[in-house]
Amino acid sequence: MSQISSNSMLAIGMTVVIITSGIDLSVGANLGLSGMIGCMVLMKTQNVLLGILVTLLISTFVGAVNGLLIGYGKMPAFIVTLGMMQICRSLDYVISNANTASKFPEAYSFLGKAKINGSFPVYILFIILMFSIFIWVLAKTRFGRFLYAIGSNEEAARLSGINVKLCTMFAYVVSGILCGFGAWIMTSRLMACDPTYGNGNEMDAIAATVIGGTSMSGGKGTLMGTAIGVLLVGFLRNALNILGVNPYWQGTAIGAVIIVAVLAEKLSQIRIKK
């Protein structure tokens, strides 16, 4: 659970974005950059609330920029978020000068290390809460239904009166906010922030989302499925570590799982059409 804690936040946001037939390759880099800036502010000011607020503001800003360019600028999501990933990675190293941020107030460790009744970690309760909120959003709100409609047929959604540009933008804003929460969980648990944090996390988020049944073509998917996908990806990585598999091979395993999951979806669609 500790290994998947921050990735679970990224997977929620990734699910919201992919449902609209988009993708956000910048989530890992966004987590790293927002976490680094927030932790540097926290280290200098020793103000826990300010550090958390800065983390969330930076991650939300990155998500909003993605959303504006994709929703209103009609630019391809793959290209925009790929470019944003490179920008965030670069800024992470420039701002931190490739140094680790640490020496935070002990109060900052509450989310990552505190336990209820001495055994149940607070961050797991937080993850369950976030999944519950967004399950409700997707299933019971107009915004959630609009996202599915956009992913199924964007032109039909536009003709039916849905503000496609605004809803698309907010999908990426949601993804950005959740990157900030992921950064908060990770840095609170480790009580440090390194420029390498978040590297490759976008792949685990995509893998969890696809394994959970969310269609890469949009319009289909649930967060209950994503929750199962997150657990499966975490189990796979943990099992590979226990078995002593070379870390360099673990990316191959995750990549193969993504391809198999997408292939299975395509085969199921072909059977339905027949």
Side-chain angles (χ1 to χ4, degrees):
M1 288 299 294
S2 63
Q3 288 181 7
I4 66 172
S5 56
S6 57
N7 283 337
S8 61
M9 297 292 101
L10 304 188
I12 295 173
M14 189 67 72
T15 302
V16 171
V17 167
I18 291 180
I19 282 173
T20 68
S21 191
I23 195 164
D24 190 351
L25 298 176
S26 67
V27 291
N30 187 355
L31 180 150
L33 177 63
S34 59
M36 177 58 74
I37 295 176
C39 284
M40 289 181 70
V41 170
L42 175 62
M43 185 171 61
K44 291 181 179 179
T45 65
Q46 296 295 296
N47 188 320
V48 173
L49 292 178
L50 181 60
I52 295 170
L53 180 61
V54 169
T55 298
L56 295 176
L57 286 175
I58 295 297
S59 66
T60 304
F61 175 75
V62 172
V65 172
N66 283 337
L68 285 170
L69 293 174
I70 296 166
Y72 287 90
K74 292 298 180 182
M75 295 176 66
F78 182 88
I79 299 301
V80 170
T81 58
L82 180 63
M84 186 59 73
M85 177 179 71
Q86 295 299 323
I87 292 170
C88 290
R89 287 266 178 259
S90 175
L91 289 177
D92 196 355
Y93 280 96
V94 170
I95 292 171
S96 67
N97 197 28
N99 292 319
T100 300
S102 58
K103 298 180 181 179
F104 308 144
E106 191 60 32
Y108 187 67
S109 66
F110 174 78
L111 180 61
K113 293 186 176 182
K115 295 183 179 180
I116 299 172
N117 293 329
S119 59
F120 192 81
V122 171
Y123 65 80
I124 294 180
L125 185 64
F126 184 78
I127 290 169
I128 293 171
L129 175 63
M130 296 304 293
F131 265 103
S132 300
I133 290 172
F134 282 97
I135 286 172
W136 175 79
V137 168
L138 289 179
K140 300 296 183 180
T141 68
R142 293 177 63 191
F143 175 64
R145 292 194 293 272
F146 288 170
L147 294 179
Y148 283 105
I150 292 169
S152 297
N153 190 319
E154 183 177 322
E155 183 61 18
R158 185 185 66 81
L159 293 174
S160 67
I162 296 173
N163 191 333
V164 173
K165 294 179 180 179
L166 183 63
C167 288
T168 300
M169 187 194 77
F170 270 109
Y172 286 90
V173 170
V174 167
S175 180
I177 292 172
L178 287 162
C179 288
F181 283 128
W184 180 16
I185 293 173
M186 177 178 284
T187 55
S188 176
R189 186 168 60 88
L190 301 175
M191 287 299 281
C193 188
D194 187 85
T196 61
Y197 285 3
N199 283 356
N201 283 20
E202 60 277 352
M203 295 309 300
D204 281 0
I206 293 171
T209 303
V210 173
I211 291 169
T214 300
S215 173
M216 291 298 292
S217 58
K220 176 186 174 184
T222 66
L223 279 173
M224 283 299 295
T226 298
I228 295 171
V230 169
L231 290 171
L232 287 175
V233 171
F235 173 80
L236 177 60
R237 284 204 178 274
N238 198 40
L240 291 172
N241 288 331
I242 291 172
L243 292 171
V245 176
N246 190 318
Y248 297 121
W249 281 104
Q250 294 186 15
T252 301
I254 298 298
V257 167
I258 295 175
I259 293 172
V260 169
V262 173
L263 179 61
E265 179 203 341
K266 291 298 180 182
L267 290 175
S268 67
Q269 289 178 353
I270 292 172
R271 289 173 184 170
I272 290 172
K273 289 179 181 179
K274 288 181 178 180

Short mmCIF file of all heavy atoms in Angstrom, two decimals, residues 92-130:
data_model
loop_
_atom_site.label_atom_id
_atom_site.label_comp_id
_atom_site.label_asym_id
_atom_site.label_seq_id
_atom_site.Cartn_x
_atom_site.Cartn_y
_atom_site.Cartn_z
N ASP A 92 12.33 21.03 -12.53
CA ASP A 92 12.57 20.34 -11.25
C ASP A 92 14.06 20.37 -10.91
O ASP A 92 14.46 20.70 -9.78
CB ASP A 92 12.07 18.91 -11.35
CG ASP A 92 11.91 18.25 -9.99
OD1 ASP A 92 12.28 18.86 -8.97
OD2 ASP A 92 11.42 17.11 -9.94
N TYR A 93 14.90 20.06 -11.88
CA TYR A 93 16.35 20.04 -11.65
C TYR A 93 16.92 21.45 -11.55
O TYR A 93 17.82 21.72 -10.74
CB TYR A 93 17.06 19.28 -12.77
CG TYR A 93 16.98 17.77 -12.60
CD1 TYR A 93 16.00 17.03 -13.25
CD2 TYR A 93 17.88 17.10 -11.78
CE1 TYR A 93 15.92 15.65 -13.09
CE2 TYR A 93 17.82 15.73 -11.61
CZ TYR A 93 16.83 15.01 -12.26
OH TYR A 93 16.76 13.65 -12.10
N VAL A 94 16.39 22.37 -12.36
CA VAL A 94 16.90 23.75 -12.33
C VAL A 94 16.60 24.41 -10.99
O VAL A 94 17.47 25.02 -10.36
CB VAL A 94 16.28 24.58 -13.48
CG1 VAL A 94 16.62 26.06 -13.31
CG2 VAL A 94 16.80 24.08 -14.83
N ILE A 95 15.34 24.30 -10.55
CA ILE A 95 14.92 24.95 -9.31
C ILE A 95 15.62 24.37 -8.09
O ILE A 95 16.02 25.09 -7.17
CB ILE A 95 13.38 24.86 -9.15
CG1 ILE A 95 12.70 25.71 -10.23
CG2 ILE A 95 12.94 25.31 -7.76
CD1 ILE A 95 11.21 25.52 -10.31
N SER A 96 15.77 23.04 -8.09
CA SER A 96 16.40 22.38 -6.93
C SER A 96 17.91 22.34 -7.02
O SER A 96 18.58 21.97 -6.05
CB SER A 96 15.87 20.95 -6.81
OG SER A 96 16.30 20.16 -7.91
N ASN A 97 18.45 22.69 -8.19
CA ASN A 97 19.89 22.56 -8.44
C ASN A 97 20.33 21.11 -8.21
O ASN A 97 21.45 20.86 -7.76
CB ASN A 97 20.69 23.52 -7.56
CG ASN A 97 22.10 23.74 -8.06
OD1 ASN A 97 22.38 23.62 -9.26
ND2 ASN A 97 23.03 24.03 -7.15
N ALA A 98 19.41 20.19 -8.53
CA ALA A 98 19.65 18.75 -8.40
C ALA A 98 19.93 18.31 -6.96
O ALA A 98 20.54 17.27 -6.72
CB ALA A 98 20.79 18.29 -9.31
N ASN A 99 19.45 19.10 -5.98
CA ASN A 99 19.63 18.77 -4.57
C ASN A 99 18.33 18.26 -3.97
O ASN A 99 17.24 18.57 -4.46
CB ASN A 99 20.12 19.99 -3.79
CG ASN A 99 21.52 20.40 -4.18
OD1 ASN A 99 22.39 19.56 -4.38
ND2 ASN A 99 21.75 21.71 -4.33
N THR A 100 18.46 17.51 -2.89
CA THR A 100 17.29 16.98 -2.19
C THR A 100 16.80 17.98 -1.15
O THR A 100 17.60 18.58 -0.43
CB THR A 100 17.64 15.65 -1.49
OG1 THR A 100 18.05 14.71 -2.47
CG2 THR A 100 16.44 15.11 -0.72
N ALA A 101 15.49 18.18 -1.09
CA ALA A 101 14.89 19.03 -0.06
C ALA A 101 14.52 18.16 1.14
O ALA A 101 13.93 17.09 0.98
CB ALA A 101 13.65 19.73 -0.60
N SER A 102 14.87 18.62 2.33
CA SER A 102 14.57 17.85 3.54
C SER A 102 14.49 18.80 4.74
O SER A 102 14.36 20.01 4.57
CB SER A 102 15.63 16.77 3.77
OG SER A 102 16.91 17.35 3.88
N LYS A 103 14.58 18.23 5.95
CA LYS A 103 14.53 19.01 7.20
C LYS A 103 13.21 19.77 7.32
O LYS A 103 13.17 20.99 7.42
CB LYS A 103 15.72 19.97 7.29
CG LYS A 103 17.06 19.26 7.31
CD LYS A 103 18.22 20.26 7.42
CE LYS A 103 19.57 19.54 7.42
NZ LYS A 103 20.71 20.47 7.49
N PHE A 104 12.12 19.00 7.29
CA PHE A 104 10.79 19.58 7.41
C PHE A 104 10.31 19.51 8.86
O PHE A 104 10.80 18.68 9.64
CB PHE A 104 9.80 18.82 6.52
CG PHE A 104 10.23 18.66 5.09
CD1 PHE A 104 9.92 17.50 4.39
CD2 PHE A 104 10.93 19.65 4.43
CE1 PHE A 104 10.30 17.33 3.08
CE2 PHE A 104 11.32 19.51 3.12
CZ PHE A 104 11.01 18.34 2.44
N PRO A 105 9.31 20.33 9.22
CA PRO A 105 8.71 20.20 10.54
C PRO A 105 8.09 18.82 10.72
O PRO A 105 7.55 18.26 9.77
CB PRO A 105 7.64 21.30 10.55
CG PRO A 105 8.05 22.25 9.49
CD PRO A 105 8.75 21.44 8.44
N GLU A 106 8.15 18.28 11.90
CA GLU A 106 7.64 16.93 12.15
C GLU A 106 6.14 16.83 11.85
O GLU A 106 5.64 15.76 11.48
CB GLU A 106 7.90 16.55 13.61
CG GLU A 106 7.64 15.08 13.92
CD GLU A 106 8.50 14.13 13.10
OE1 GLU A 106 9.66 14.49 12.76
OE2 GLU A 106 8.01 13.03 12.78
N ALA A 107 5.42 17.95 11.98
CA ALA A 107 3.98 17.95 11.73
C ALA A 107 3.65 17.58 10.29
O ALA A 107 2.56 17.06 9.99
CB ALA A 107 3.39 19.32 12.05
N TYR A 108 4.61 17.81 9.37
CA TYR A 108 4.36 17.53 7.96
C TYR A 108 4.23 16.02 7.70
O TYR A 108 3.64 15.60 6.71
CB TYR A 108 5.51 18.09 7.11
CG TYR A 108 5.28 17.99 5.62
CD1 TYR A 108 4.27 18.73 4.99
CD2 TYR A 108 6.07 17.16 4.82
CE1 TYR A 108 4.05 18.64 3.63
CE2 TYR A 108 5.86 17.07 3.46
CZ TYR A 108 4.86 17.81 2.87
OH TYR A 108 4.65 17.72 1.51
N SER A 109 4.75 15.20 8.59
CA SER A 109 4.72 13.75 8.40
C SER A 109 3.38 13.13 8.77
O SER A 109 3.20 11.92 8.64
CB SER A 109 5.82 13.09 9.24
OG SER A 109 5.55 13.25 10.63
N PHE A 110 2.42 13.96 9.20
CA PHE A 110 1.15 13.42 9.67
C PHE A 110 0.47 12.55 8.62
O PHE A 110 0.09 11.41 8.88
CB PHE A 110 0.21 14.55 10.10
CG PHE A 110 -1.17 14.07 10.46
CD1 PHE A 110 -1.41 13.48 11.69
CD2 PHE A 110 -2.22 14.18 9.56
CE1 PHE A 110 -2.68 13.02 12.04
CE2 PHE A 110 -3.49 13.71 9.88
CZ PHE A 110 -3.72 13.13 11.12
N LEU A 111 0.31 13.06 7.40
CA LEU A 111 -0.40 12.31 6.36
C LEU A 111 0.33 11.02 5.99
O LEU A 111 -0.30 9.98 5.79
CB LEU A 111 -0.59 13.17 5.11
CG LEU A 111 -1.33 12.50 3.94
CD1 LEU A 111 -2.74 12.11 4.35
CD2 LEU A 111 -1.36 13.42 2.73
N GLY A 112 1.64 11.08 5.92
CA GLY A 112 2.41 9.93 5.44
C GLY A 112 2.78 8.91 6.50
O GLY A 112 3.00 7.74 6.17
N LYS A 113 2.84 9.33 7.77
CA LYS A 113 3.34 8.41 8.80
C LYS A 113 2.39 8.17 9.96
O LYS A 113 2.55 7.17 10.67
CB LYS A 113 4.67 8.94 9.35
CG LYS A 113 5.80 8.94 8.33
CD LYS A 113 7.14 9.32 8.97
CE LYS A 113 8.27 9.22 7.97
NZ LYS A 113 9.59 9.54 8.58
N ALA A 114 1.43 9.04 10.16
CA ALA A 114 0.51 8.87 11.29
C ALA A 114 -0.38 7.64 11.08
O ALA A 114 -0.69 7.26 9.95
CB ALA A 114 -0.35 10.11 11.44
N LYS A 115 -0.76 7.01 12.19
CA LYS A 115 -1.60 5.81 12.12
C LYS A 115 -2.76 5.92 13.10
O LYS A 115 -2.61 6.45 14.21
CB LYS A 115 -0.77 4.56 12.43
CG LYS A 115 0.31 4.28 11.39
CD LYS A 115 1.06 3.00 11.70
CE LYS A 115 2.12 2.72 10.64
NZ LYS A 115 2.86 1.48 10.91
N ILE A 116 -3.91 5.43 12.66
CA ILE A 116 -5.10 5.43 13.50
C ILE A 116 -5.06 4.18 14.38
O ILE A 116 -4.86 3.06 13.88
CB ILE A 116 -6.37 5.44 12.64
CG1 ILE A 116 -6.40 6.70 11.76
CG2 ILE A 116 -7.62 5.37 13.52
CD1 ILE A 116 -7.51 6.71 10.74
N ASN A 117 -5.22 4.37 15.68
CA ASN A 117 -5.13 3.27 16.65
C ASN A 117 -3.80 2.54 16.57
O ASN A 117 -3.70 1.35 16.88
CB ASN A 117 -6.28 2.27 16.44
CG ASN A 117 -7.63 2.85 16.78
OD1 ASN A 117 -7.76 3.70 17.66
ND2 ASN A 117 -8.66 2.42 16.07
N GLY A 118 -2.79 3.25 16.12
CA GLY A 118 -1.44 2.70 16.08
C GLY A 118 -1.16 1.69 14.99
O GLY A 118 -0.09 1.10 14.94
N SER A 119 -2.15 1.46 14.08
CA SER A 119 -1.93 0.42 13.07
C SER A 119 -2.40 0.80 11.67
O SER A 119 -1.79 0.40 10.68
CB SER A 119 -2.63 -0.88 13.49
OG SER A 119 -4.01 -0.65 13.66
N PHE A 120 -3.48 1.59 11.56
CA PHE A 120 -4.04 1.90 10.24
C PHE A 120 -3.51 3.23 9.73
O PHE A 120 -3.82 4.28 10.30
CB PHE A 120 -5.58 1.94 10.32
CG PHE A 120 -6.24 1.95 8.97
CD1 PHE A 120 -6.41 0.78 8.27
CD2 PHE A 120 -6.68 3.15 8.42
CE1 PHE A 120 -7.03 0.78 7.02
CE2 PHE A 120 -7.29 3.16 7.18
CZ PHE A 120 -7.47 1.97 6.48
N PRO A 121 -2.70 3.23 8.66
CA PRO A 121 -2.10 4.48 8.16
C PRO A 121 -3.14 5.49 7.70
O PRO A 121 -4.12 5.14 7.02
CB PRO A 121 -1.24 4.00 6.98
CG PRO A 121 -0.99 2.56 7.25
CD PRO A 121 -2.23 2.06 7.92
N VAL A 122 -2.92 6.75 8.02
CA VAL A 122 -3.84 7.81 7.65
C VAL A 122 -3.91 7.97 6.14
O VAL A 122 -4.98 8.24 5.58
CB VAL A 122 -3.40 9.15 8.30
CG1 VAL A 122 -4.20 10.32 7.75
CG2 VAL A 122 -3.57 9.07 9.81
N TYR A 123 -2.78 7.78 5.44
CA TYR A 123 -2.80 8.00 3.99
C TYR A 123 -3.69 7.00 3.27
O TYR A 123 -4.26 7.31 2.21
CB TYR A 123 -1.39 8.00 3.41
CG TYR A 123 -0.63 6.69 3.48
CD1 TYR A 123 -0.86 5.67 2.57
CD2 TYR A 123 0.33 6.48 4.46
CE1 TYR A 123 -0.16 4.47 2.64
CE2 TYR A 123 1.04 5.29 4.54
CZ TYR A 123 0.79 4.29 3.62
OH TYR A 123 1.47 3.11 3.69
N ILE A 124 -3.87 5.79 3.82
CA ILE A 124 -4.76 4.82 3.19
C ILE A 124 -6.21 5.30 3.30
O ILE A 124 -6.99 5.19 2.35
CB ILE A 124 -4.60 3.43 3.84
CG1 ILE A 124 -3.21 2.87 3.54
CG2 ILE A 124 -5.68 2.47 3.33
CD1 ILE A 124 -2.94 1.51 4.14
N LEU A 125 -6.54 5.86 4.45
CA LEU A 125 -7.87 6.45 4.62
C LEU A 125 -8.08 7.60 3.65
O LEU A 125 -9.16 7.75 3.05
CB LEU A 125 -8.03 6.94 6.07
CG LEU A 125 -9.41 7.47 6.46
CD1 LEU A 125 -10.45 6.36 6.38
CD2 LEU A 125 -9.38 8.05 7.87
N PHE A 126 -7.03 8.38 3.43
CA PHE A 126 -7.10 9.50 2.49
C PHE A 126 -7.31 8.99 1.06
O PHE A 126 -8.11 9.55 0.30
CB PHE A 126 -5.80 10.32 2.57
CG PHE A 126 -5.79 11.55 1.71
CD1 PHE A 126 -6.46 12.69 2.10
CD2 PHE A 126 -5.11 11.56 0.50
CE1 PHE A 126 -6.45 13.83 1.31
CE2 PHE A 126 -5.09 12.69 -0.30
CZ PHE A 126 -5.76 13.84 0.10
N ILE A 127 -6.61 7.92 0.69
CA ILE A 127 -6.76 7.34 -0.65
C ILE A 127 -8.18 6.82 -0.85
O ILE A 127 -8.80 7.06 -1.90
CB ILE A 127 -5.74 6.19 -0.85
CG1 ILE A 127 -4.32 6.76 -0.94
CG2 ILE A 127 -6.06 5.39 -2.11
CD1 ILE A 127 -3.23 5.69 -0.87
N ILE A 128 -8.70 6.13 0.14
CA ILE A 128 -10.07 5.61 0.06
C ILE A 128 -11.06 6.76 -0.09
O ILE A 128 -12.02 6.69 -0.88
CB ILE A 128 -10.41 4.77 1.32
CG1 ILE A 128 -9.56 3.50 1.34
CG2 ILE A 128 -11.89 4.41 1.35
CD1 ILE A 128 -9.66 2.71 2.64
N LEU A 129 -10.83 7.84 0.64
CA LEU A 129 -11.70 9.02 0.56
C LEU A 129 -11.68 9.62 -0.84
O LEU A 129 -12.74 9.94 -1.40
CB LEU A 129 -11.26 10.06 1.60
CG LEU A 129 -12.01 11.40 1.56
CD1 LEU A 129 -13.48 11.20 1.88
CD2 LEU A 129 -11.37 12.39 2.53
N MET A 130 -10.49 9.77 -1.43
CA MET A 130 -10.37 10.38 -2.76
C MET A 130 -11.03 9.49 -3.82
O MET A 130 -11.71 9.99 -4.72
CB MET A 130 -8.91 10.63 -3.09
CG MET A 130 -8.22 11.64 -2.19
SD MET A 130 -9.06 13.24 -2.14
CE MET A 130 -8.79 13.81 -3.81
#
